[in-house]
Amino acid sequence: MPNNLVVATFSDPVSLLKAVNAAQAEKYRIYDVFTPYPVHGLDEAMHVRPSRLPWVTFCVGLTGVTLALTLQFYASVLDWPINVGGKPDNSTLAFIPISFELTVLLGGLSTVAALFLRARLYPGKKPLLVAEGVTNDKFAIAFRIRETAFDARKLAEIMKQSGALSVGEQEAKL
Amino acid sequence: MDHHGETTPAGRSCKSSKDLLVQIGGPPVYWKSVDELQNGPRVTGEFPGGLPGGATSGPRAETTRRDFLALMGFSLAAAGLSGCRAPVQHAVPLLVGSDQIVPGVSNYYATTCRGCASSCSLLVKQRDGRPIKIDGNAESSLFGGGTCAGGQATVLSLYDDGRLKGPLWQGKSATWNEIDGHILQALNDAQTAQKSVVLLSGTMTSPSTRAIVAEWGRSNPRFRHVEYDPVSLSAMRQANKESFGQAAVPHYSFDKAKVIVGLDADFLGTWLSPVEFARQYASSRKPEKNAALHIQFEPGMSVTGSNADVRVPVAPSQLGATAIALLRRIAHKAGTSGPDQSADPVDSARLDAVAEALWKHRGESLVVSGSNEVAVQMVVNAINALLGNIGKTIDLARPSRQRNGDDAAVAQLVEEMALGHVGVLVLYGVNPVYDYPDSQAFAAGLKKVALSVSLNDRSDETGALVNAICPDHHFLEAWGDAEPVESNFSLAQPLIAPLFETRAAQDSLLRWMGREGEQSNYYTYLREYWRKDIFPRQKELPSFEVFWDQSLQRGVVTLASAGGAAPGPIHGGWQEAANKITQSAKAAPQGNSNSYELHFYESVALRDGRQANNPWLQELPDPISKVTWSNYAAIAPALAAQLKLENGDVVALKAGEKQVELPVFIQPGQEGRTISIALGYGRTAAGKVAENVGVNVFPLTALAAGQRRLSAVNASLASTGGKKPLASTQTHFSMEGRPIVLETSLDELEKESEKPEALPTLWAERLQGEHSWGMAIDMNACNGCSACVIACQAENNVPVVGKDQIERIRIMHWIRIDQYYSGPAENPVSVHQPMMCQHCQNAPCETVCPVLATTTSSEGLNAQVYNRCIGTRYCANNCPYKVRRFNWYNYTDNPKFDFNMESPLGRMVLNPDVVVRSRGVMEKCSMCVQRIQLGKNLALQGGRPLADGDIQTACQQSCPTQAIVFGDLKDPNSRVSQLQRSQRNYQVLEDLGTRPNVGYLKKVRNPMERS
Amino acid sequence: MSSSTMTAEPLHLEKPELQVLPPPVWVDGGPSLAQITDDIAHPMEARPGKGWWICFGIAFAALLNLGGMVTYLIANGIGVWGLNNSVGWAFDITNFVFWIGIGHAGTLISAILLLFRQQWRTSINRSAEAMTLFAVACAAMFPGIHMGRPWLAHFIFPYFPNQRGPLWVNFRSPLVWDVVAISTYGTISLVFWYLGLVPDLATLRDRAQGKIKKFIFGLLSLGWNGSHRTWSRYEITSLILAGLATPLVLSVHSIVSMDFATSLLPGWHTTIFPPYFVAGAIYSGFGMVMTLLIITRQTMHLERYITVRHLDKMAKVTMLTGMIVSYAYATEFFSAWYSGNIYERAHFINRATGPYAWCFYLMVLCNVITPHFLWTKKARTTVWFLFIVSILINIGMWFERFVIIVVSLHRAFLPSGWGMFYPTKVDIGILVGSFGLFFTLFLLFIRVLPMIAMWEIKNVASHTVDHKMAHGVGGEQNKEVIRA
């Protein structure tokens, strides 16, 4: 029973948003919303906290630039100082391009990696598809039945009112 | 080779000829005794008799180059005496290692060059028993340490696949005994048939060989010796006979001359004794107050002409008239009656000025002419006589023996042959079927000769028609001596056992004179000759042994003149000669619009063509035109424009009945209606390298009044419409007003204060090493002779890439000589600039190399790390001097590049100290870093500081004029430092801030007005 | 759009439709979401048409030719090219710079236009990014094969511990910068492109019939299920990547230009190269995008999604960048004259009057004159005309690089070192082959992957609705209402 979901499907984002707001108003806790594309306004409606991914980018990027500068300095000044066209060993300006590139590379890769980790996206994962066509043209809201006082009937009402195509209860391995 | 026998080509080829060698050696018993006598227990080695490694086996620790030689001399004594029996010894592999040949240590031996008849003294580098590098012998008072390009290349001719591996009888290989049998038989037949026996040789500078020939003559009245030079001075000899009663070529002293006038005599490039003359010339042309003035009258631009202060293009037919015009003026000044009045062939004012200058420097001036016309030479003699140069700058008391060819005698011989009067004809170092004007006549005559023998090293054009070929050794395999100038002797000794079953020409001659066993051995003969004829003429040394040892060691012996009487006053006859010239000029048929003059010359690279199969020389850019791998018809720019001809357009040239087709090369400074063509090309039987390279124009030369004329009048020119691209290494000859070659004049030099200090640099000086290697190149001394180019190629294993690759601008030479013209195209001023890696301290190439394959060494060298190089070519793109060379292909052991580095024999010339570069890597001048290392090591071994001059780069060493000075810029007293401090010093493209370690000394012009 | 959400007022709750602004329409005929999916998925599910087969045949033949030529090249050495002592780089580096330039438009469209919230990018960004990847692949080939000893290419990477003792690379060399920049650019572009694909892969997974298809798409779509929590993180990530890719794309061609700018060769050694090259890159890139899209929209019948309005936009960008490039050309000549540097002057005189002058004038014709044909809307919306223009741009930009590289090298400082470059069969074969590689990859791409980002199109296509909702029952206002 606790793993069961109440899923309402919609054909358009308008009714979806309507339903989300209504559910919020009735203090129903939305488990998640499934849409074929990012529907703007849902963040606010669902009170999704802004992501902390940018911090990952920043930190790793910082590491990248430090790493690059250190490597180049170590190689050209400490480990193998050699006379190249009479230039000074520590030709810092010449080290900038590589430092920049490494910053971008590590920053970018780490961000994506972080996303995949946080969203638990990995090859071979069995997707939880609460309703037919949520990756095509259907929109769905899923409510998790946890509270004892969970009035499924009322919820269904609200959903219907906001123009749900269907409301159903289903088991889901979470 | 014993150490290396298994591994090196040397080993292989020697082994292969081993058994043969056994046969041809004399009876071992005899030699053994001498061996015991001289060497004690038998010592064998790569070298006949196992030459000791003088370099290392010295009693003293300190070894400068001189001590080097001294030590060698000792061992050479042993070598000398046992050398002759080398073949036998050679058959026996070395079981007990020689204590005198140290693998990896080079030995140096003095010998004498036979690249041409100039007979320069050489010091040859022998490494692991192989001669691998030719250098001049600094001990020689005549030639100094310099060489010419041809001389440098002779070492490669030793390892030439085109050489015969053994004697041939009727085209089939045979044993020496068989052939000797045939020949002795034929000689007897000739005796009985009362037919003459003729030895036709090139100029014979070897006194001992002359002695052999003389003996033969005494023993056989029907024997005759004829000397034949394809490019001879026989007219001069004739003229001197008439003028001074002495049929000789004088010994010239350009160094004593303050005014030099050349009439089509390329004495810096090819004429008579270029190495010696270049040396003298440079010494007299030092940019000082009294620097010599040089005026050159010539049809085509020659090396000499390109160095003259004043160069006047003159048609070959007008050279006589020019000489007369000068003579008239001189005579007038001398107050004697000159030749009859006649029109001046060139600008009279200029002639006045020249005469004035000559007269001003009476007794210290010199007029030389390359003309092979007796009358012209007589007029020149008259000029020199009136100027009182005879006995001063012109020495007839100690004449030169470098050109003895007698055209008339050869012509007579050809007639005799045609009549069938010649029983036996021995050809020694000559190839008339290729280079005789009427070669058909000669070939036809050859058929009428009962027995003809060639001693040449290959089955050449003539060799194909003779009965027997008895290949002579290469001079690096042979004993010998030479007397280039009277009483200036030079010895020659073998540096390697004969590679093939060849035999010294002198041995052959002795055999055929009927000598047997020891008697027939040239080495014994040579030594006896020196004991009898040379040794007594000197006083210093009581013992012949010591004298011989020392002579061998030093390579040269200079004795007091053998009493050649100073010539008396000039006999008359020059007026007649002058008139004769004027008459003939009048008589000459007036040319129509399509009549041109042809002018034939020896090219610096190929000379008369005897080394045509030498890829180094074929790929040597001509010092003037920069064309490789072909000769061409040089025409004046104006004429080209008029006929709408471009470089590479093929034209047909017809002189008399003969016609040749050649590509055109537009040569600035070429006389308006004269077409110059190089001799020595178009060899058909020299070997695969020379195959179809250029066209043979010897047939167009003709005999006139018994003398070979290297010119022709009334030639016609017709465009064939064909195209034959010329492989040139330089296509643009204008400096475009860039600071590349800077010039100044003596006046300016005096005015100029200190030279401006170097431009500032962004970065701190960062050389930590104790040396900073640099160069100073004197643009005044460099005459463009290109000896350094071949020297570098030999020293640094620079590959030959062939015509096709050169057309694609892919020549590999590490040092090149850039040629620039300024002024009017009809007669420009030209400069030669040696250009190699400038070893910049702020090198643009280094900054851009991604893998640090090129960096500045702690001693200021711009180092190239071959095994690190991945070949992005970024460095070459960023090099302002374009001196970096890329290995576009694998040039070694690659059938597509079938030159010396393709054959095991040819690879024997490679220098083991320098790596052979692989495909895909960049390379360039390393300032002979291997020599720098050796120099430092020797100093270390000797526990002494490295002295200035201990290290010489290959280019520097080969330079006859000492134009290149290498040394340590950190040592303020080194010659290079001093030169780079001098106000003449500048750096090419200085404004780019590359801070090269190579400095150039401004060329100082010597305007005519000054003298 | 969400920004407008913020500014809206609760008042409009009653009459939301009044507030509906006419949205920019980037999809014709307002297809339903399912329709969009079907349309875009169609090329991958239907059998390929004749047109596709012909193109693919030609491209693949060229690719095979490339294989042969490169094998021959590596077997014999780069002597088989027309290079020589004077001209050390020619077709090899010209092609390299050309292809890298092409790539830039893709990144620009996907990243920079995203940051600028340009919705018209949505129809073309996917294929533009794909183009970037394939162009970078072509470009990356040339530094590899142009080496004298390609088998030692790894020398160019600094690695530690280092088997060859303390051997490092020269971090001062622009070639090393190149290597790092190009590989970074390639990686980031790939990641960005794949990230954008994930939702569409999920869509395909869910509509796939075949087992294998399902499995592969399942694997690649990483279990995407359209969860909004993921969506919102996903959008942040895209923005971050866009933010990184934008300076990256500018840096890449700047660094490529430094290969030349940091040298001291007249014609190379100039400070305006970085911006000049970037502009040129975008110019050529858009040329290539136009070429590709015009072909695909015709052959794949996607006119509804790639409208003439898209082409019009791209034409405008080409005009702008084209004129920047023209300005750069002018500046080069001016500074050469104004500097008074004899080598610079000689070089530019030679560029305009020397043996390669025809290349220069061809380049001027294509890059300076051509953009000005696009001033009229008519020209910008005539498809066949744009196609010709785009081809001209590609030609012009290739010749620009040829002129910069070869004309500068063939007559440098010492006249004694002057020489000409003539391409060999292998030079030309490899150039053609690189196009073969590029088009083969692209043609395969449009067969196996959605060449238009479905989810983004859906986003744009349904903006009208989105709009209304934002104003109607948008989050904040809604909460206020509830509180009230």
Side-chain angles (χ1 to χ4, degrees), chain C residues 272-288:
Chain C
I272 67 164
F273 262 19
Y276 163 14
F277 268 52
V278 171
I282 295 166
Y283 181 62
S284 63
F286 267 87
M288 187 57 89

Side-chain angles (χ1 to χ4, degrees), chain C residues 66 81 89-103 135-143 145-146 253 256 260 397-399 401-402 405-406 426-435:
Chain C
L66 176 69
W81 279 341
W89 288 346
F91 271 39
D92 47 2
I93 301 301
T94 304
N95 299 342
F96 164 68
V97 180
F98 173 76
W99 280 117
I100 280 292
I102 296 294
V136 170
C138 293
M141 172 179 74
F142 285 100
I145 62 171
H146 100 294
H253 227 56
V256 168
F260 309 106
M397 286 312 291
W398 189 89
F399 271 96
R401 277 58 174 261
F402 182 82
I405 292 169
V406 172
V426 184
D427 280 303
I428 294 159
I430 287 182
L431 169 60
V432 174
S434 67
F435 278 91

Side-chain angles (χ1 to χ4, degrees), chain B residues 734 738 808-811 818 820 846-850 866 868-874 877-878 888-889 919, chain C residues 74 76-79 81 83-85 88-89 92 146 148-149 164 168 170 173 259 263-264 346 412-413 415-416:
Chain B
S734 156
R738 300 175 176 186
R808 296 170 188 271
I809 327 177
R810 291 175 180 176
I811 191 157
D818 290 345
Y820 295 110
E846 295 176 6
T847 323
V848 297
C849 174
Y866 302 129
R868 177 65 167 167
C869 178
I870 56 175
T872 67
R873 306 180 301 293
Y874 200 175
N877 290 344
N878 209 25
W888 299 100
Y889 291 103
R919 162 196 146 193
Chain C
I74 292 175
N76 291 279
I78 51 179
W81 279 341
L83 302 172
N84 57 46
N85 291 348
W89 288 346
D92 47 2
H146 100 294
R149 303 199 292 176
R164 286 166 276 118
W168 291 104
N170 180 8
S173 167
D259 289 350
S263 81
L264 47 56
F413 292 99
S416 61

Side-chain angles (χ1 to χ4, degrees), chain C residues 320-368:
Chain C
L320 172 68
T321 48
M323 283 185 272
I324 298 175
V325 170
S326 315
Y327 172 71
Y329 296 165
T331 314
E332 278 189 305
F333 274 86
F334 173 78
S335 44
W337 166 74
Y338 194 68
S339 68
N341 177 322
I342 57 172
Y343 310 113
E344 284 286 327
R345 285 186 176 185
H347 167 72
F348 281 95
I349 290 167
N350 178 49
R351 185 181 280 193
T353 63
Y356 290 111
W358 67 272
C359 303
F360 170 71
Y361 291 110
L362 183 59
M363 155 189 128
V364 169
L365 175 74
C366 296
N367 301 351
V368 180

Side-chain angles (χ1 to χ4, degrees), chain C residues 156-157 191 293 359:
Chain C
I156 212 167
F157 296 101
V191 169
L293 290 187
C359 303

